[in-house]
Amino acid sequence: MKISYYHVAGDVPEGIKAEAAVVVDVLRATTTIAWALNNGAETVQTFSDLKKLRETANNWPKESRLLLGERGGKRLDGFDLGNSPVAVVPDVVSGKRLFMSTTNGTRSLERVKNSKTLYTMSLTNRSAVAEKLLERQPKDLWIVGSGWEGSYSLEDSLAAGALVQFLLEKSHSTASIFNDEATSALAVWETWKNDPEGCLIASTHGQRLIGLGNHEADFKCCAALDQLSVVPTQNEFGLLHAE
Ligand code: 3SL
C-alpha cells in the first residue's frame, strides 16, 4: 500500500484516482460523522451545495431526517444541528438520515467520491479505519485532509500522521510512504502524539472555534484517540454508512 497525503481537496491529482481514499476533518466534520453513525444514524449524506441538500432532504420524510451543518463554524439557518460531535447523541440521531454540509470537509469528500473504497476518519476511529485498510490492502491510499478554505490545517495532518504511523507499524512492511506530505504528517503526529488536544487548540481552526464560544467538549471529543470501532464507508454514491 503506497500512502500519499493531500492537505486539501485542491491538492488531489486530477484525472487519476486511488484505489482507496480516506477523508479527514478532525475539527469537526469527520469526528461528527463517526459519532453520528456510532450513535445509530441510518446514513450520512453529504453535500457541498446547500440548494441540492435542501431539495434532496425535502423529498425525505420529515420525521426521519435531520439537517446538519455549518458555515464558518456557525450552524446554518433552519438546520436542526450544527457540526458538533457531542450533539449527535442517540436520542437525537438514532434511525435518522443526516443531510450534512460543512465548510471544508464535505468538499474533500466530493473530490474523492469516485474512489473504489472511501472512508472518513478522525482521531476517534483511527485504528478502526487502519484495520479495515490492512484487511483490504489497496495498492494505493490517498489520505485527504480538509484544511480551511483551501489552505493547510495542522489538526488534519495530525490525524493523517496517526494513520500513517499505525499502518507502517502493523502492515509487516506492506505499507510505505509515497509523498513528502505523508512524511511531514507523521512528523506532526510524533510531535503531538502525547497531547493531541493541545494540538487542536493550537491550530488556527481551534483558535477560530474558541473565538466563537466555548468548545471545550468538542476539543476533548475530537482529540480522543481510537474510541470508536465505526468505519464510515461510502457504499452508495454520496452516502456514508457504518461498517
Ligand atoms: O470545515 C468543516 O468542514 C468543519 O468541520 C468546520 S467546523 O469545525 O464545523 O467549524
Side-chain angles (χ1 to χ4, degrees):
M1 184 188 332
K2 289 182 183 165
I3 310 168
S4 300
Y5 176 48
Y6 298 104
H7 295 138
V8 289
D11 292 347
V12 173
E14 304 268 353
I16 49 168
K17 56 184 179 187
E19 193 176 327
V22 170
V23 170
V24 177
D25 184 4
V26 173
L27 286 177
R28 294 165 292 173
T30 57
T31 309
T32 300
I33 291 170
W35 273 105
L37 291 173
N38 178 75
N39 288 344
E42 179 245 330
T43 300
V44 180
Q45 186 164 6
T46 59
F47 298 81
S48 43
D49 179 351
L50 287 176
K51 191 165 167 261
K52 206 157 165 217
L53 182 154
R54 287 197 169 94
E55 276 166 17
T56 315
N58 282 340
N59 289 325
W60 202 255
K62 210 173 173 183
E63 60 289 355
S64 49
R65 72 176 186 227
L66 286 173
L67 273 60
L68 183 154
E70 57 67 43
R71 282 295 175 273
K74 293 189 196 143
R75 184 203 294 202
L76 283 156
D77 270 356
F79 273 46
D80 303 291
L81 294 169
N83 185 27
S84 169
V86 297
V88 290
V89 294
D91 275 358
V92 175
V93 300
S94 186
K96 301 271 170 68
R97 177 169 293 217
L98 270 46
F99 296 87
M100 179 179 197
S101 180
T102 66
T103 314
N104 307 286
T106 46
R107 275 192 222 158
S108 290
L109 268 167
E110 187 90 16
R111 183 68 191 81
V112 287
K113 67 183 177 195
N114 291 319
S115 310
K116 188 168 156 210
T117 298
L118 173 56
Y119 304 134
T120 67
M121 191 201 80
S122 53
L123 289 168
T124 203
N125 62 343
R126 180 271 316 239
S127 59
V129 171
E131 296 288 5
K132 268 269 177 304
L133 290 164
L134 291 171
E135 257 168 51
R136 292 216 174 181
Q137 289 290 340
K139 67 177 190 321
D140 46 7
L141 165 67
W142 289 353
I143 308 169
V144 183
S146 298
W148 186 263
E149 294 182 345
S151 54
Y152 176 87
S153 76
L154 183 64
E155 71 281 8
D156 291 345
S157 286
L158 178 79
L163 176 59
V164 171
Q165 178 265 319
F166 193 103
L167 292 171
L168 293 182
E169 202 174 297
K170 308 274 174 165
S171 73
H172 306 288
S173 305
T174 59
S176 58
I177 287 182
F178 195 66
N179 70 357
D180 285 349
E181 288 89 331
T183 305
S184 88
L186 186 57
V188 171
W189 173 245
E190 289 301 332
T191 303
W192 292 95
K193 66 183 174 195
N194 295 321
D195 184 17
E197 192 177 340
C199 177
L200 303 196
I201 291 170
S203 70
T204 50
H205 187 47
Q207 290 299 311
R208 185 177 298 111
L209 288 173
I210 289 169
L212 292 172
N214 184 345
H215 284 82
E216 264 174 43
D218 280 14
F219 286 126
K220 250 186 195 30
C221 179
C222 293
L225 186 67
D226 296 342
Q227 300 293 298
L228 300 178
S229 58
V230 69
V231 178
T233 303
Q234 179 180 261
N235 288 329
E236 280 169 78
F237 209 62
L239 299 182
L240 295 163
H241 292 101
E243 246 195 29

